[in-house]
Amino acid sequence: MILLQLCVLVLSKYQLAMISKAVVSTQSTGWINSGGAKSIIHKDAHNQLNCLLAGSKDWIFINNTYNDWIYQAEEIDGDQGGFSLVNPDNVNYVSFPLFEQVPWEYATVHAGDCLYLPPRYYHRVKSTDRNFAVSFLFGTRSEFEMGGCDEATSAVPLNTVPVQWKYPGSGMMSMGNSDPAGIKEWFIEMFLEMTGGDVTDNVPMEEYVYFVIDDEGSIPYMKELFHDLLVERKVLGDFQYVDRNMFDLIPEEVWRELTVAQSYDPSNDPNNEFYHIEKRDVVNILKDATYYGAVNKDQFVEAYCRLGGSARVARELFSQVTSDGDTVSWYDVRDKDDIFNVFGQVHDRGDEEMFTRNQEIKRRAEEDLRKSIVDTKTEL
C-alpha cells in the first residue's frame, strides 16, 4: 500500500502523470458526509484516488493477503469487490477467531490530502465531522509501461482526466462498473488464444464470436448476453475476419456496451423512488393504514413516507387512488392495483429490452445458485 505521505509526494512529483498516462478514470464520485458515519470493512475492485476537500476522515487498511482471516461474505458476482462479516465495532472472536491476528494500518486524511488505495485492498472509513470528498476510480491493467513519467513537465488537474462512466445527475448511477478498456483487453486475449499468440494472424468472425461465448459458459447470463450482443446485434461490426487491428477500430461506446451486464443503482430522488420501493410494500402498508377505515390525504402521505418515499409522490399517488377526492379506503387500494405496478420496475439504461432480458437471465442464474447452496447444506 502507498501510505498517505508517499502518495502526496508521488502526486506532487509526477502531477498525476502515471495515472493519466496509464488509464482513464472509470468514474468519479462525490461523497458528502454530515458526520458520524462509518463503513463496514470492505474492498473495491478498482484503483482509487480519494481526495478530501473539507473535513477529515479516518482510514483503516488491511492487506488483502489476509483475505482468509477477514471472513469475507460470499457473493455471487465473484471476488472483485467484497466485504467482511466482522463487525469492527463489536468483534465476536468466538465466531471470527482468526480476525484477532489480522494486522492493520491507520491514517487520518485532512482537507487537501489525496489517498491512493490499490484495488481489492480492505479498508474501513470513519467520519467524525462533516466532510466532502471526491473519489476517482481507475481500472486495473495487466501491464503498465512506466516510461514517460519522469518527463512530466506540467500538472494534470484531476478534472481534466477523461471519465468513462458519466452520471447526468438523476436516474441510474453506474458506480462499480467495469473498465471498458479491460473488456477490450479480454477480447484481445481471446483472439490471441485462438491464434496461439500470433498478432499477424486472423480468424473468421463467426468462429471467434462462438469461441468468446463458449468461454463464458460457466456464467449463464453472460453467455446469453454475449450471444445477444455479438450474434444478434453484431456490435463488433460487419467484419468477416478478426485480426489484431480490428479491436482498435471499434468505438469506445461499443466496449462500454459490453460491460452492461453489471447492475446499476437508481438515484434516490423522487423521480426515481419507484425503483427503490417494492409494490408489495406499498400495498401492505396502505392495507395496514386503512384497516380500520378510510384515511385522509395527510394520513396516506404519512403511511407512504414510512417506506422512505417522498411526500410529493405520496400526494400524486393519493390523487390517483382516491375515489371521492378526500379519502382512500382499502377498497380503493385493492381495486386500483394496476396503479402500483410502477413500483419495483427495471430502469431503462439506454436499451431497455437488452437490460431487462439480461437482468432476468442473471436473476434466474442467482436463484439456481442459491438453490444449489441450500440443497448442499441440506445434504450435509
Side-chain angles (χ1 to χ4, degrees):
M1 186 191 77
I2 297 180
L3 295 178
L4 181 62
Q5 293 83 356
L6 177 58
C7 177
V8 173
L9 175 62
V10 169
L11 297 179
S12 174
K13 182 177 180 180
Y14 297 127
Q15 292 83 36
L16 298 174
M18 287 197 293
I19 293 177
S20 61
K21 176 181 181 296
V23 292
V24 292
S25 175
T26 55
Q27 63 195 58
S28 58
T29 307
W31 298 91
I32 302 175
N33 198 303
S34 60
K38 52 193 175 184
S39 75
I40 57 177
I41 298 173
H42 66 286
K43 60 180 179 178
D44 301 310
H46 300 295
N47 293 279
Q48 180 181 163
L49 186 65
N50 193 291
C51 297
L52 199 63
L53 281 71
S56 62
K57 287 191 177 188
D58 296 324
W59 290 69
I60 290 177
F61 312 96
I62 300 174
N63 195 302
N64 55 16
T65 57
Y66 301 102
N67 192 80
D68 292 341
W69 299 356
I70 289 293
Y71 299 95
Q72 179 179 321
E74 182 177 351
E75 294 186 278
I76 291 174
D77 287 334
D79 190 37
Q80 293 299 306
F83 65 96
S84 170
L85 295 171
V86 177
N87 178 0
D89 292 322
N90 187 18
V91 179
N92 185 335
Y93 290 111
V94 176
S95 300
F96 310 110
L98 295 177
F99 189 75
E100 187 176 10
Q101 305 175 45
V102 175
W104 52 276
E105 297 169 285
Y106 175 84
T108 297
V109 181
H110 301 281
D113 291 337
C114 288
L115 182 143
Y116 168 70
L117 191 70
R120 294 179 289 280
Y121 208 101
Y122 282 105
H123 58 284
R124 190 206 190 197
V125 188
K126 293 181 66 175
S127 297
T128 56
D129 58 2
R130 297 174 63 182
N131 55 57
F132 174 51
V134 177
S135 65
F136 299 84
L137 302 182
F138 297 87
T140 304
R141 296 287 188 275
S142 58
E143 297 180 2
F144 170 57
E145 174 56 53
M146 290 290 290
C149 291
D150 290 322
E151 289 79 33
T153 57
S154 60
V156 180
L158 280 171
N159 65 353
T160 66
V161 175
V163 178
Q164 287 283 8
W165 298 98
K166 297 182 179 180
Y167 181 58
S170 65
M172 287 295 179
M173 295 183 288
S174 59
M175 184 174 182
N177 258 12
S178 297
D179 180 7
I183 299 294
K184 175 182 177 181
E185 187 178 85
W186 179 77
F187 270 77
I188 293 173
E189 289 174 358
M190 292 295 99
F191 166 75
L192 294 176
E193 186 174 335
M194 288 189 72
T195 64
D198 185 354
V199 295
T200 65
D201 200 357
N202 62 67
V203 294
M205 172 63 82
E206 185 176 0
E207 291 183 18
Y208 173 76
V209 164
Y210 282 98
F211 182 79
V212 170
I213 293 174
D214 287 341
D215 189 76
E216 289 297 315
S218 60
I219 311 177
Y221 73 89
M222 286 294 288
K223 183 173 182 178
E224 193 164 341
L225 174 67
F226 276 144
H227 185 276
D228 181 45
L229 288 168
L230 303 179
V231 178
E232 303 297 333
R233 298 179 56 194
K234 296 184 178 179
V235 297
L236 293 182
D238 292 322
F239 297 95
Q240 297 299 311
Y241 288 88
V242 177
D243 59 31
R244 172 59 186 85
N245 295 328
M246 184 204 76
F247 299 99
D248 297 327
L249 299 176
I250 298 172
E252 282 291 329
E253 54 266 23
V254 171
W255 298 118
R256 280 194 290 270
E257 189 170 12
L258 286 166
T259 68
V260 78
Q262 296 198 8
S263 60
Y264 280 32
D265 293 318
S267 60
N268 56 351
D269 60 64
N271 294 324
N272 294 280
E273 67 189 53
F274 302 106
Y275 310 120
H276 293 283
I277 302 174
E278 295 293 332
K279 172 184 176 179
R280 63 177 180 273
D281 295 331
V282 178
V283 173
N284 286 339
I285 201 166
L286 294 180
K287 180 179 180 180
D288 292 340
T290 57
Y291 184 81
Y292 292 107
V295 296
N296 60 32
K297 181 183 290 187
D298 290 340
Q299 294 170 321
F300 182 95
V301 170
E302 180 185 359
Y304 175 80
C305 287
R306 287 202 295 269
L307 293 172
S310 66
R312 191 197 82 185
V313 170
R315 289 191 292 269
E316 293 173 354
L317 197 61
F318 179 89
S319 65
Q320 297 178 58
V321 177
T322 181
S323 297
D324 57 18
D326 296 319
T327 61
V328 166
S329 68
W330 166 241
Y331 299 105
D332 293 327
V333 175
R334 183 195 63 186
D335 295 342
K336 298 181 180 179
D337 179 80
D338 290 347
I339 292 176
F340 303 99
N341 288 337
V342 67
F343 291 94
Q345 64 179 301
V346 176
H347 192 276
D348 177 5
R349 297 199 297 177
D351 190 329
E352 183 175 3
E353 181 180 353
M354 182 183 68
F355 177 63
T356 304
R357 178 185 178 192
N358 178 55
Q359 289 298 95
E360 176 60 22
I361 296 168
K362 189 173 181 179
R363 183 190 65 77
R364 293 200 307 266
E366 291 176 346
E367 286 183 353
D368 290 343
L369 179 57
R370 290 191 181 97
K371 185 177 184 300
S372 66
I373 293 174
V374 171
D375 291 344
T376 301
K377 290 181 178 179
T378 301
E379 293 175 2
L380 294 175

